[in-house]
Each structure stands twice: as structure tokens, then as C-alpha cells.
Amino acid sequence: MVVQESQDTKLTHSDSVSPSQQNRSNTSLSQFSGNSQHFTSNENIYYEPEEYTETDFLLPNQLYGRSRLTRSPQPKDANVSGAPEESICSMVVQILVPFLLAGLGTVSAGILLDIAQSWEVFQEITEILILVPAVLGMKGNLEMTLASRLSTAVNAGKMDSPREKWMLIAGNLALKQLQATVLGLLASLMASLLGWMAEGQMPFNHIMLLCSTSVSTAFVASLLQGIVMVGVIIGSKRIGINPDNVATPIAASFGDLITLALLACFSQWFYSFIELYPYVLYLVNLSFLCLIPAWVAASSKHPASEILLHTGWEPIIIAMLISSIGGVILDKTVLDPNLAGIIVYAPVINGVGGNLVSIQSSRISTHLHLKYSPGQLPEGRQSCSNPWHTFFGSGANHRSAKILLLLVIPGQLIFLHVIHLIKGGHTLPSPLFTIAFLFASLIQVLILLCMADCLVHCLWRRGKDPDSYSIPYLTALGDLLGTALLSIAFLMLWCIGDPGSV
């Protein structure tokens, strides 16, 4: 359930929260810090937190106003913000438009990748293709995670104070730049290792080019998309749109195209220096590494980003490793001339699956943040024994899961038609290929939605913030599932001699 705020009347904290919910919130607060809490008759809370956990930045508004940054309590008439009740029609409209924009972004990314694979650098250093899913996966690791965190904070009323809002945004953006730098470096080293294992050799200058390309792409793309995401979330709140429905797919719509364009351009540019001016690659890597202390200092200024600075690495690093496995599958498939057409469709199936599951994950996370304290789950959600519970129920998240699943087939048909119209691929969408592609995409999204429902609730039960943990895992698994299922589809169609896939 969410708190509905009418146009005429705003609910205050005292008359919008039931006594049981207040007791549950107070219990939750006490478990995060050993300090005593003092309550006065006018409901002002005097509290100075000394220890922070992964969910501290989503605590009630009065406590949040006494963070160690502002040192000033919230006014006693602070409002409780909540996500508005949504009708099915408004939910569909809010999801459909950014979903289509995001899909067109993935189509453009696929066409761009198909063009770039014929460039000299992609022909000489094929390990760049291993980088593609990992670098694109940073959209889920960083941009979508940022969008989900800020969307939850907006819906929970944690960005009402201008000072807190901008301190929260600045801390998260600094943290994201730090994570982008480290992930870009790790992704390039992982691609180099996998390339060496596959071919038995890996020239050192190729390793340096992969590092420079990956770090530069991740850093610049993260900076551009982070700024866009902040604007989208703040704008959505002002015009009355639920950020959970639009923020993550809009992040995806810009993310794939921007990231692939930067990856292709940086790789070709650095390749021109590799023989005559190799020291340029060393200077590029050194420059980004020297910025790490600055990002650490900036992200430590806010308790929300500070706690993620220590605890937020596990999901994004594991997600990067999972995406790299998908990159190996893509690299080996593209090397087969009979299956080379997959490179156009891989960003589409992976992007659509990641976009849809990120919406559902963000919505479930917001619901849990608003209604339950960490460790507490809705009745009947203590286990994941029944995956069909994801789609059958009376709650808004059950409706959204069915809507997202129903969007797969019409959305993918539109994207396939767009690819065919602009002749972006090596394959024609024959009826048999279209059926195989739609079936692979439907299976991918079905699995991801069930996993999202289970994973978000499991993370919440363990006291971890789903906004920071779930989307990296889910988008990485979406990349792996999408690439694997699409490769199987192409292989099966090639074996039976389907003219639309070879």
C-alpha cells in the first residue's frame, strides 16, 4: 500500500501513519543504532546517528532531517510523501512511452555495433566484443541503480529539503564516477584474461588499449547519464509522474547508444596511437586513476553514499563478471560467419529484458521501503517457493508484472520491424526467425520477473537495500540469458536452413 496525496490536502505525519506503523518504524530505527532516541510531545525527534546501514538514507523524514550533514531538524509539520495510487491505464502510459524510447535506443545501439564491427580495431582486437556486454551492463550496475535509489528517495520524501537533495545527489554521482572507473578497469582486465585463455596469447599493448577504452567509456558515459538521470527524476516528481516507471528505462534509452558510441570511438582513436605514441594510453589510464581519491572524498560527504562506498561493490563486481561471460558467448558467436547477424539483435533482447525487469525491481523496492522496515516482509512472502505469485495477486506490483510481460511481444515486433526498415542487420526477419526471437525474449523476461520478485524480497529480509543490490544482478543475468537464448535460436535456425536467419 502507498500513501495517496490529494491535490487539496497534504497528510501530515501524525494523521497519515497508523500507531502500528509508527511502532514498527521506531523499532526499525533502534536496530540501526545503539544511541537513545528522545521524543517530545510535538513529535520532534532529536537524534544524531553514529552508525549507518544500507537503508539509513530511506529512514523517516524527521530523522533524515537530523543527518550529520544538516544538523537541523525537520519542521514539525513535515509532510510524508508517498507514491500515488496508480490506475492500470496510467501505469501503462507511464511505462509504455519510456519503454519504446529505450527500445529504440537499443535498436540504434545494435545497428551501431553492426557498423563498428567492421572497423580495423574490432578486426584486430576481437576482445573488444567481450567488453560490449560488460560495459553496457554498467548501465544496470550504475545508472539504473542510481535511478532506482533516487526514485525510492523521491517517493519516500527524502528529497524535499533542497540541501539534503543536492547533498544526496552529489554524493551518489561521485560514488558512481568512482564505481565507473573501477568497473571499467576490472572489465578490461577480465576481457584480457578471457581473451588470453581463448587464444593463448595477449599482447601487452592490446591490454593497455582495452584498459584505456573501457575506463574512458565507463567514466564519460557514467557522467553524462548521471546528469540526465538526476534531471529526469526531479522533473518526474514535479509533473506528478512516478519516477519508478520512467527513470530506469530512460536511463537505458540513452545508456546503450551513448556507451556503444563512446566505446567504438575511443577504441578506434586509441588504436591510432598504439604504434607511434603508446605512452598516450598510459597517461589516460593514470589520469583516471589519479581521480579516485577525489571521488572517494566526495562520496564520503553523505551517509547514504558513504555506506555504499563500503558495501556497494559486491553486486556490481559480480554483475560485471556475469556480463563478461555473456561477452564471451557473443564473441564466439560473431566469429562464426553463419551467425554473425546476432550482433544486431543482442543489444535489443538484452536491453529490453533489462529495462523491464529494472522497472519491476524498482517498484517492489519502493513498496517495501514505504511499508515495511528492513527484515520484515509482506504476509506470504517469506519464501520464493511459488514463482507464479509474481503474476497472480491483487497488488499493484502483480499488475505491473503482468503488464511488463505483455509488453514484450508487441514491443519486440516493433523493434524488429524498425531494424528491418533501416536494414541494420545481416538477417531478414522471416516468420520462423521472428517466432524464435519472440519466444527467446519472452522466456528471458518471464525468468527475470520471477527472479526479481524473489531477489528483492530476499535482499530486504536480510536487511540489504534492493535499490543497490538487485538491479546489477538482474540486468547482468538478463545479458547472459538474452545472449545465450539468442545464440541458441540462431544456431537452431541455421541448422534447419531458415533463410531468414543465415
Side-chain angles (χ1 to χ4, degrees):
M1 298 293 293
V2 292
V3 181
Q4 184 175 4
E5 182 177 352
S6 66
Q7 296 178 350
D8 301 322
T9 306
K10 292 186 177 180
L11 300 179
T12 63
H13 181 70
S14 59
D15 56 25
S16 64
V17 182
S18 66
S20 62
Q21 289 173 323
Q22 289 177 345
N23 292 337
R24 183 168 62 241
S25 177
N26 295 341
T27 303
S28 173
L29 298 182
S30 62
Q31 75 183 36
F32 289 127
S33 175
N35 292 347
S36 60
Q37 304 176 24
H38 303 283
F39 298 87
T40 65
S41 58
N42 61 358
E43 292 190 337
N44 286 334
I45 300 178
Y46 301 96
Y47 181 91
E48 188 66 35
E50 298 295 337
E51 299 179 2
Y52 299 101
T53 67
E54 293 154 4
T55 50
D56 273 349
F57 66 103
L58 293 174
L59 294 176
N61 284 346
Q62 296 97 321
L63 178 61
Y64 198 76
R66 277 288 290 181
S67 73
R68 65 181 182 182
L69 289 172
T70 60
R71 305 284 181 181
S72 58
Q74 289 270 62
K76 64 180 180 180
D77 61 342
N79 298 322
V80 174
S81 300
E85 290 284 357
E86 297 172 290
S87 65
I88 293 180
C89 181
S90 65
M91 188 187 302
V92 171
V93 171
Q94 290 184 24
I95 292 175
L96 182 61
V97 174
F99 167 71
L100 293 177
L101 290 176
L104 294 176
T106 61
V107 169
S108 303
I111 295 169
L112 177 62
L113 185 59
D114 182 54
I115 296 172
Q117 71 167 334
S118 62
W119 293 4
E120 184 179 3
V121 62
F122 280 80
Q123 297 295 319
E124 293 294 327
I125 308 177
T126 59
E127 290 78 14
I128 294 179
L129 288 176
I130 301 178
L131 272 181
V132 170
V135 173
L136 289 182
M138 293 181 195
K139 169 193 65 184
N141 296 344
L142 304 179
E143 275 69 39
M144 288 185 175
T145 302
L146 172 69
S148 182
R149 284 202 303 266
L150 294 184
S151 296
T152 299
V154 166
N155 281 327
K158 305 304 177 288
M159 295 177 68
D160 294 340
S161 167
R163 178 177 172 81
E164 284 289 353
K165 176 177 67 175
W166 292 114
M167 292 299 291
L168 176 64
I169 289 172
N172 274 275
L173 289 179
L175 174 67
K176 197 162 73 74
Q177 292 307 112
L178 171 64
Q179 292 175 333
T181 303
V182 175
L183 279 186
L185 181 61
L186 293 178
S188 62
L189 295 178
M190 187 67 181
S192 302
L193 176 62
L194 294 174
W196 173 77
M197 292 173 62
E199 300 180 6
Q201 60 178 358
M202 189 68 186
F204 184 72
N205 57 354
H206 287 188
I207 296 177
M208 294 305 300
L209 184 141
L210 288 175
C211 291
S212 301
T213 300
S214 181
V215 174
S216 301
T217 300
F219 185 91
V220 177
S222 178
L223 180 62
L224 294 176
Q225 294 172 71
I227 295 173
V228 171
M229 283 322 310
V230 170
V232 167
I233 291 172
I234 295 177
S236 298
K237 180 66 173 178
R238 288 183 177 178
I239 63 178
I241 295 177
N242 185 357
D244 282 321
N245 292 336
V246 299
T248 50
I250 287 180
S253 65
F254 291 99
D256 287 335
L257 184 58
I258 291 176
T259 303
L260 268 181
L262 290 172
L263 178 68
C265 293
F266 276 129
S267 62
Q268 186 65 37
W269 186 43
F270 291 140
Y271 185 73
S272 64
F273 297 129
I274 199 170
E275 295 295 338
L276 297 178
Y277 309 104
Y279 61 87
V280 172
L281 305 182
Y282 296 93
L283 291 177
V284 169
N285 291 323
L286 183 61
S287 299
F288 286 115
L289 292 177
C290 288
L291 289 174
I292 287 180
W295 301 128
V296 172
S299 59
S300 301
K301 298 296 184 180
H302 195 280
S305 52
E306 182 184 24
I307 193 63
L308 291 174
L309 182 63
H310 302 289
T311 64
W313 295 99
E314 173 193 338
I316 61 177
I317 292 177
I318 294 178
M320 183 271 297
L321 296 176
I322 296 173
S323 295
S324 296
I325 298 174
V328 174
I329 297 175
L330 179 64
D331 183 40
K332 296 303 178 184
T333 306
V334 170
L335 290 178
D336 188 339
N338 297 314
L339 307 176
I342 191 178
I343 201 168
V344 180
Y345 300 98
V348 178
I349 190 172
N350 294 343
V352 168
N355 298 343
L356 294 177
V357 74
S358 66
I359 294 174
Q360 183 68 359
S361 173
S362 183
R363 290 178 61 89
I364 298 174
S365 177
T366 295
H367 173 72
L368 292 173
H369 275 295
L370 291 175
K371 293 300 297 179
Y372 302 94
S373 59
Q376 295 182 342
L377 291 176
E379 186 176 354
R381 298 315 315 269
Q382 302 300 321
S383 67
C384 302
S385 58
N386 184 10
W388 296 109
H389 181 78
T390 302
F391 303 97
F392 300 102
S394 58
N397 292 326
H398 298 93
R399 293 197 303 269
S400 64
K402 287 182 281 191
I403 290 171
L404 294 172
L405 188 63
L406 291 174
L407 286 176
V408 174
I409 292 181
Q412 292 288 31
L413 283 174
I414 293 173
F415 304 145
L416 283 176
H417 187 61
V418 171
I419 291 175
H420 177 56
L421 286 179
I422 59 181
K423 302 183 184 298
H426 296 295
T427 64
L428 295 174
S430 69
L432 194 57
F433 169 76
T434 301
I435 293 173
F437 181 81
L438 293 178
F439 183 75
S441 185
L442 192 64
I443 293 297
Q444 176 209 30
V445 174
L446 178 66
I447 294 174
L448 288 176
L449 289 175
C450 293
M451 293 181 66
D453 193 44
C454 179
L455 180 62
V456 171
H457 286 94
C458 287
L459 290 170
W460 189 258
R461 184 174 65 242
R462 297 182 180 181
K464 295 184 179 296
D465 181 16
D467 284 324
S468 299
Y469 280 79
S470 61
I471 290 181
Y473 289 130
L474 293 169
T475 54
L477 290 171
D479 291 342
L480 181 59
L481 280 173
T483 305
L485 290 171
L486 192 59
S487 299
I488 293 172
F490 265 76
L491 183 60
M492 292 176 61
L493 291 171
W494 175 72
C495 289
I496 64 177
D498 179 66
S501 63
V502 298

